[in-house]
């Protein structure tokens, strides 16, 4: 394959990134030599391709794309495109996870809903902290003249595992027709939709003579309109669980609603594990929000990397992702602090992740806690214990009912084992250690590797570092790249010359690009990011002999005030609406048109690159975690492309990114194809560079489909700033 300007000098090595890295403008004139030398390279490559380009203005001849249809290359892994996820930006709580009640077991610290920060995460500058409520997200509701109060009660646990603190409502007086109750404001409101059935449940016990009834409502925030209501007729003085169904009628969809449990008689009532679910995706109990799930399903991802990211590590030992505390009944899940500054309900626990995989036909890629937390603590002397914990977790995922943890999974409601092929040991273990502590991955990784392989020899083990894993080479290395515009373009050639073998001539570990993004806009990427994302992805596809998996990060952001901890996230939502960013649509286009086999492609763009200003350095700089990336200097190319064959349909898939404003004419040659149908299916994504999608304009930037005339050799103009996918039939 010949790709012009395939200068792959590596300008940064193992760049552990700090998310609040000071921003600086990386002006292309800071790199004049690189720019000049690349222009020379460009000219040479163009000459050798039989074309002469002197400058953009005189580029009269079309460029060239040659696809060698009769010389198929590497198989593209069926796992090539997937999702990466963790609890960040209210991804699950207040996001995918369907629960509508915030602070349902009353463990949230009394500091409101303000988003926090993870390891070096940016402060949530947009949102001033709300007034500090006494019991976050809960408030007293009383009708005129009625008197009552609410407090936290630690003397009446439902159990000692998780439900140790309850909400006590004391009702001192209430006039006939009045009420005293508690309201929950949900995650930025309770989404109220017409003709919809909600399932509410809670533990309750009466005291001080209170025996009920309780009224359960979804109502407008001012209490003036009851949207749905149900009654629990009688309580006892012992904890019991109550379930009620709430059904709305005709109404305007709105998030200006709250959930209220109220009473009209004196006495006291304690409440715990107060829950409200709307209809969920595929009607799962404890399931997922439908609109976000549908956006994911439309991508057709092959895998889910979970549970992080920083989230698997935790800020400290007590708040690591401790998987046994995330399984079983919600009553037994104690919850923990996510490293991103808020408490996770762990309603999205290990089994829920796996069922999410099942619903979307994804294979889990399981990251296990590797005895190392974000504060740099490494549990020396206990590596074997944690490695065994990882083996137990794997058994929970894939063990049959005769194994201890497989039996536990069956008891939890899922007798069938899940398919699992890849296990990642930790996350982003820095070569230099953290918090002033020495790096220990080289000691920990071999223990995890050997313990897991001894029990599951066929599992593929993923390392989070490129070099520091000790004596047992991983099967796969997870590399992370958070990039600015230019580094994303330049990184499209990052893997072209990466050695495929080690020094002994054996196959080098395969690559999992387990987190990547062009980072610019906030909270979701602009079209400019999507454009350079697409260019970057062509580089992964062309190198599919080495790169076997990839996933963008972060996946989700709740765009409501205070919902975001990380800038530039793939899918945004508020309480009522979810939308895909332009980068989401690029990925949907690529995921749905992956193909099975790489087709060799050579590309000679019509025009040469000219100096352009880049955006600020991304958090983490130009490099990648665990890998090596090119810098943010001026881009070396104006057009990017990849090609593959869909073995099922026989179609040739061509992806072309015109990264510059000027339209480019290109002669496309599909060499060696038996026949090329005279009509090809095309999808194009374009927009203004600063265009974004949002809850008010969810489809401002979205792909458009058409049919174009095609043949084995034809000239086509690719308009400026376009991502194009064409499928040519060969039958
Ligand atoms: O994607 C956000 C964070 O970036 C992840 O938690 C971490 O792995 C990386 O540093």
């Amino acid at each position: 394959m010949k790709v012009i300007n395939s200068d792959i000098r590596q300008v940064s090595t193992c760049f552990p990134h700090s998310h609040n890295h000071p921003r600086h403008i990386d002006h292309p004139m800071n790199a004049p030599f690189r720019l000049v030398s690349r222009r020379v390279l460009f000219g040479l490559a163009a000459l050798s391709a039989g074309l002469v380009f002197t400058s953009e203005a005189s580029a009269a001849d079309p460029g060239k794309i040659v696809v060698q249809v009769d010389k198929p290359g590497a198989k593209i892994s069926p796992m090539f495109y997937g999702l990466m996820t963790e609890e960040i930006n209210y991804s699950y709580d207040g996001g995918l996870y369907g629960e509508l009640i915030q602070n349902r077991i009353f463990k949230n610290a009394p500091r409101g809903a303000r988003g926090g920060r993870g390891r070096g995460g940016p402060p949530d500058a947009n949102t001033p902290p709300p007034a500090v409520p006494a019991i976050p997200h809960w408030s007293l509701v009383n009708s005129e003249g009625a008197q009552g109060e609410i407090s936290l009660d630690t003397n009446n646990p439902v159990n000692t595992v998780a439900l140790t603190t309850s909400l006590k409502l004391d009702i001192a007086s209430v006039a006939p027709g009045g009420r005293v109750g508690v309201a929950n404001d949900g995650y930025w409101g309770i989404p109220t939709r017409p003709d919809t059935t909600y399932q509410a449940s809670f533990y309750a016990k009466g005291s001080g003579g209170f025996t009920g009834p309780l009224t359960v409502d979804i109502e407008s925030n001012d209490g003036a309109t009851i949207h749905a209501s149900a009654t629990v007729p009688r309580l006892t003085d012992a904890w019991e669980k109550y379930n009620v169904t709430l059904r709305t009628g005709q109404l305007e969809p709105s998030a200006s609603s709250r959930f209220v449990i109220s009473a009209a008689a004196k006495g006291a009532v304690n409440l715990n594990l107060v829950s409200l679910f709307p209809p969920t995706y595929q009607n799962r109990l404890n399931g997922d929000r439908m609109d976000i799930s549908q956006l994911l399903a439309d991508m057709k991802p092959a895998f889910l990397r979970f549970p992080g990211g920083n989230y698997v590590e935790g800020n400290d030992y007590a708040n690591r992702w401790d998987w046994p505390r995330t399984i079983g009944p919600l009553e037994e899940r104690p919850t923990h602090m996510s490293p991103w500054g808020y408490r996770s309900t762990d309603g999205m626990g290990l089994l829920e992740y796996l069922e999410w995989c099942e619903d979307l036909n994804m294979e889990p890629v399981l990251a296990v806690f590797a005895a190392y937390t974000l504060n740099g603590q490494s549990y020396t002397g206990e590596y074997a214990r944690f490695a065994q914990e990882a083996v137990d977790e794997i058994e929970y995922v894939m063990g049959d009912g005769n194994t201890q943890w497989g039996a536990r999974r069956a008891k939890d409601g899922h007798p069938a084992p899940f398919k699992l092929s890849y296990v990642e040991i930790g996350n982003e273990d820095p070569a230099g250690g953290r918090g002033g502590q020495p790096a220990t991955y080289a000691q920990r990784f071999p223990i995890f590797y050997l313990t897991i392989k001894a029990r599951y020899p066929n599992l593929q083990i993923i390392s989070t570092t490129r070099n520091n894993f000790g004596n047992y080479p991983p099967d796969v290395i997870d590399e992370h790249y958070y990039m600015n515009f230019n580094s994303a373009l330049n990184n499209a050639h990052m893997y072209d010359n990466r050695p495929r073998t080690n020094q002994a001539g054996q196959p080098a570990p395969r690559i999992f690009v387990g987190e990547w993004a062009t980072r610019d806009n906030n909270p979701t990427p602009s079209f400019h990011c999507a454009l350079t994302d697409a260019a970057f992805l062509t580089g992964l596809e062309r190198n599919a002999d080495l790169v076997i998996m990839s996933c963008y990060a972060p996946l989700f952001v709740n765009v409501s005030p205070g919902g975001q901890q990380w800038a530039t996230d793939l899918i945004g939502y508020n309480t009522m609406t979810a939308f895909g960013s332009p980068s989401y649509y690029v990925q949907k286009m690529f995921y749905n048109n992956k193909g099975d086999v790489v087709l060799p492609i050579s590309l000679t763009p019509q025009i040469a690159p000219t100096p352009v200003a880049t955006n600020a350095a991304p958090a983490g700089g130009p490099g990648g975690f665990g890998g090596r990336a090119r810098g943010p200097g001026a881009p070396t190319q104006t057009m990017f492309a990849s090609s593959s064959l869909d073995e099922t349909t026989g179609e040739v898939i061509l992806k072309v990114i015109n990264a510059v404003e000027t339209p480019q004419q290109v002669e496309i040659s599909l060499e060696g194809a038996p026949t090329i149908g005279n009509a090809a299916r095309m999808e194009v994504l374009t927009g203004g560079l600063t265009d974004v999608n949002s809850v008010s304009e969810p489809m401002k930037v979205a792909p458009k489909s058409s049919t174009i005339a095609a043949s084995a050799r034809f000239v086509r103009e690719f308009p400026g700033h376009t991502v194009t996918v064409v499928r040519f039939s060969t039958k």
Side-chain angles (χ1 to χ4, degrees), residues 27-306:
H27 194 277
M29 296 318 287
N30 293 342
F33 172 74
R34 204 181 295 147
L35 183 63
V36 170
S37 66
R38 284 178 183 153
R39 286 206 145 171
V40 171
L41 276 173
F42 184 91
L44 290 175
L47 273 173
S48 71
L51 298 165
V52 179
F53 299 124
T54 49
S55 74
E56 182 176 335
S58 63
D61 297 329
K64 257 184 191 303
I65 288 177
V66 179
V67 179
Q68 292 176 319
V69 181
D70 56 346
K71 296 197 174 71
K75 285 260 177 211
I76 304 173
S77 163
M79 296 275 279
F80 198 80
Y81 285 126
L83 305 177
M84 186 273 167
T85 176
E86 66 178 321
E87 184 57 275
I88 181 175
N89 302 322
Y90 291 83
S91 284
Y92 314 137
D93 295 341
L96 181 70
Y97 178 51
E99 177 64 82
L100 299 180
I101 303 298
Q102 190 162 186
N103 193 16
R104 68 186 175 188
I105 68 167
F106 309 105
K107 291 274 177 76
N108 286 19
R111 62 188 188 93
R114 184 168 192 253
R117 59 185 71 182
R119 173 162 59 89
D124 181 11
N126 296 335
T127 318
V132 175
I135 307 174
H137 304 287
W138 291 95
S139 59
L140 182 71
V141 170
N142 48 359
S143 56
E144 205 178 324
Q147 284 183 347
E149 60 182 36
I150 55 172
S151 57
L152 292 178
D153 184 350
T154 52
N155 296 320
N156 281 294
V158 177
N159 62 38
T160 53
V161 187
L163 304 187
T164 52
T165 301
S166 59
L167 176 72
K168 187 171 186 192
L169 170 66
D170 281 292
I171 306 161
S173 72
V174 52
R179 66 173 182 169
V180 175
V182 288
N184 187 274
D185 62 5
Y187 292 93
W188 296 274
I190 301 287
T192 310
R193 300 181 200 278
D195 301 319
T196 303
T197 302
Y198 297 78
Q199 304 298 340
S201 63
F202 51 88
Y203 283 81
K205 71 187 282 247
S207 61
F210 183 80
T211 56
L214 287 177
T215 302
V216 183
D217 290 331
I218 298 172
E219 61 181 48
S220 58
N221 280 339
D222 61 5
T225 310
I226 306 295
H227 298 307
S229 187
T231 303
V232 172
R234 200 166 168 76
L235 298 190
T236 70
D237 60 2
W239 283 114
E240 283 183 58
K241 188 170 186 181
Y242 299 92
N243 296 285
V244 297
T245 298
L246 297 167
R247 171 126 190 115
T248 58
Q250 283 301 304
L251 51 79
E252 278 301 308
S254 169
S256 301
S257 301
R258 61 187 185 180
F259 176 78
V260 175
I261 301 177
S262 61
K266 288 202 302 188
V269 57
N270 281 58
L271 300 167
N272 212 330
L273 189 55
V274 184
S275 174
L276 178 69
F277 270 82
T280 57
Y281 190 68
Q282 302 203 358
N283 288 320
R284 285 258 184 216
L285 276 180
N286 199 40
D288 294 339
R289 182 169 150 172
M290 293 219 261
D291 53 353
I292 301 175
S293 298
Q294 193 56 54
L295 283 168
L296 299 178
D298 292 345
M299 291 172 82
K300 301 196 175 78
F303 68 86
L304 179 72
R305 172 180 174 233
F306 71 86

Side-chain angles (χ1 to χ4, degrees), residues 206-551:
S207 61
F210 183 80
T211 56
L214 287 177
T215 302
V216 183
D217 290 331
I218 298 172
E219 61 181 48
S220 58
N221 280 339
D222 61 5
T225 310
I226 306 295
H227 298 307
S229 187
T231 303
V232 172
R234 200 166 168 76
L235 298 190
T236 70
D237 60 2
W239 283 114
E240 283 183 58
K241 188 170 186 181
Y242 299 92
N243 296 285
V244 297
T245 298
L246 297 167
R247 171 126 190 115
T248 58
Q250 283 301 304
L251 51 79
E252 278 301 308
S254 169
S256 301
S257 301
R258 61 187 185 180
F259 176 78
V260 175
I261 301 177
S262 61
K266 288 202 302 188
V269 57
N270 281 58
L271 300 167
N272 212 330
L273 189 55
V274 184
S275 174
L276 178 69
F277 270 82
T280 57
Y281 190 68
Q282 302 203 358
N283 288 320
R284 285 258 184 216
L285 276 180
N286 199 40
D288 294 339
R289 182 169 150 172
M290 293 219 261
D291 53 353
I292 301 175
S293 298
Q294 193 56 54
L295 283 168
L296 299 178
D298 292 345
M299 291 172 82
K300 301 196 175 78
F303 68 86
L304 179 72
R305 172 180 174 233
F306 71 86
N310 289 358
Y311 189 56
V312 71
E313 302 171 279
N315 275 346
D316 51 31
Y317 182 69
N319 292 296
R320 72 195 191 283
W321 202 69
D322 191 2
W323 70 269
R325 290 157 68 95
T326 74
I327 59 173
L330 297 180
E331 285 82 346
E332 292 169 14
R333 301 189 195 182
T335 75
H336 77 287
M337 282 302 289
S338 121
W340 299 102
Y342 56 93
R343 182 161 288 276
S344 167
T345 64
D346 288 324
M348 178 67 80
L350 179 55
L351 186 57
E352 286 77 16
Y353 279 109
L354 295 168
E355 289 176 337
W356 174 12
C357 289
E358 189 167 60
D359 289 349
L360 266 59
N361 203 18
M362 304 182 287
E363 188 172 320
V365 171
L366 180 68
V368 297
F369 176 69
Y372 192 58
T373 46
L374 289 166
N375 60 4
Q377 267 185 284
S378 191
Y379 296 87
T380 319
E382 295 190 74
Y383 300 158
R385 173 165 81 83
F386 287 111
Q388 184 56 45
E389 261 192 20
V391 167
D392 292 346
E393 184 177 5
I394 294 165
E395 187 177 280
Y396 186 92
V397 177
M398 62 188 296
D400 65 30
N402 299 317
T403 61
Q404 179 192 349
W405 288 106
R408 174 61 200 265
R409 186 198 58 243
K411 181 169 168 241
D412 291 344
H414 202 286
F418 293 88
K419 183 174 180 210
L420 182 70
S421 310
Y422 295 93
V423 171
E424 177 156 1
I425 312 303
N427 175 62
E428 287 190 348
D429 267 86
R434 292 183 189 133
Q437 306 293 321
T440 53
Y441 201 64
Q443 289 80 54
R444 288 178 285 123
F445 179 82
I447 294 175
F448 279 77
Y449 179 96
L450 290 171
T451 312
I452 294 171
K453 286 272 186 187
R455 177 74 189 277
Y456 298 105
N458 294 329
L459 278 181
Q460 299 285 289
I461 306 295
I462 304 171
S463 155
T464 74
T465 76
R466 192 170 171 201
N467 297 313
N468 305 302
F469 40 70
N471 293 330
Y472 293 91
D475 301 300
V476 182
I477 291 171
D478 178 5
E479 300 186 353
H480 296 175
Y481 297 98
Y482 290 108
M483 304 169 285
N484 64 19
F485 300 136
N486 285 354
S487 51
L489 297 180
N490 293 333
N491 286 348
H493 291 291
M494 183 170 58
Y495 290 114
D496 289 355
N497 286 6
R498 177 77 71 88
R500 268 55 174 172
T501 52
N502 62 20
Q503 282 172 341
Q506 290 152 339
R510 304 294 93 176
I511 302 298
F512 171 25
V513 185
E515 293 181 29
W516 70 270
T518 308
R519 293 188 76 197
D520 185 57
N521 200 57
N522 162 1
T524 53
S526 61
F527 173 70
H528 197 171
C529 295
L531 191 68
T532 58
D533 283 352
F536 177 74
L537 284 179
T538 61
L540 302 191
E541 288 196 349
R542 285 185 294 96
N543 288 282
D545 61 320
L546 179 68
V547 178
I548 58 166
M549 295 190 289
S550 66
C551 47

